[in-house]
Amino acid sequence: MNKLLVAGTVAIDSVETPFGNKPESFGGSAAYFAYSASFFTSVKLLAVVGEDFPEEYKDILRERKIELEDLVTVKGKTFRWKGKYEYDLNSAQTLDTQLNVLLDFQPKLAEGYNPEYLFLANIDPELQLSLINQVDRPKTKLIACDTMNFWIQNKIDKLVEVLKHVDMIIVNDAEARDFTGQTNLVKAAKLIKENGPDTVIIKKGEHGVFLFHENKFFSLPGYPLEEVYDPTGAGDTFAGGVIGYLAKKDRINFENLKKAVAYGSVMASFNVEDFSMERLRRLKENEIEERLELFRKLSNF
Ligand code: AMP
């Protein structure tokens, strides 16, 4: 039985960066998350794709033994996202979003399956709510979610509802500001916590991450990289490392959360070193531990 379920998008991305363009490549919030989390625990992926989705992309997920029983294929075109990064590579500018098969998607958990850990990756908050209603609490020990400005702008009411039911939210700094109308990130996190989750994680791109858990606070810098090619999926890869590690430890406390955030940062640092999922595909388990050790040394005094 897969301990961790991720629901989100499996996508065809077209990405422009100062280092080159990658049209029609493999992406999606759930795809990046699942690939990253699979280094820590067994993962099941729930999503929808269209008939145009290449089988070879599914094979990439199979490389990590990700359970694909709930990756459904329906008539129509796969969700597509087109984005562009400027020179600082910190934030993506969305050029185009085509929801396609997502528009009629009704996610459904397989009969008799209940995940212990559920990650609601970036997707329509109505779909996130539908999944929240299908899991059996407290057998599902942790529900965490992500979102982005597209949904904050289009479906804020549904997102506020999602927030009431999740234990953790992982968002980036711009999303936290957009969502709360608060420019100060500490105040924004406080406001989010008052409206639901005990744990708020705010990613600040190359500048690192803030973790707020109950009344405790932790901060990590970004891992200093010389080679950054494509930040697409960094947030989802980060979340995959965080939740994957927590599912592996199977105990949610501040100590494990701090380590989880460090593992998430390490996973994201690998992902940005190449386009799409290419760097993660070459990643060896020992490289994760080695970089974690380097990271520990550089942020410890
Ligand atoms: P990030 O980790 O934030 O860089 O997420 C990048 C991934 O999010 C891309 O692979 C996109 O396919 C996916 N994505 C972009 N826009 C949306 C959206 N509105 N809803 C869900 N997923 C999205």
Side-chain angles (χ1 to χ4, degrees), residues 39 266-267 283-292:
F39 283 86
V266 165
M267 295 308 287
L283 184 61
K284 304 272 178 302
E285 313 248 338
N286 64 311
E287 290 180 290
I288 301 174
E289 293 304 322
E290 281 164 21
R291 191 167 282 185
L292 190 87

Side-chain angles (χ1 to χ4, degrees), residues 8-13 26-29 32 79-81 85 92 94 97 99 102 121-124 146-148 150-151 172 175 203 231-237:
T9 52
V10 169
I12 297 181
D13 288 346
F26 182 32
S29 57
Y32 279 107
F79 171 78
R80 271 173 173 70
W81 176 73
Y85 295 86
T94 294
T97 303
L99 296 175
L102 262 194
N122 183 21
I123 199 170
D124 187 333
D146 184 6
T147 192
M148 78 182 279
F150 184 88
W151 304 114
N172 70 31
E175 289 152 2
K203 301 163 288 175
T232 311
D236 309 304
T237 309

Side-chain angles (χ1 to χ4, degrees), residues 70 131 140 144 156 196 215 222 231 272 293:
D70 289 341
L131 281 157
T140 299
I156 184 95
N215 55 358
V272 301
E293 208 34 52

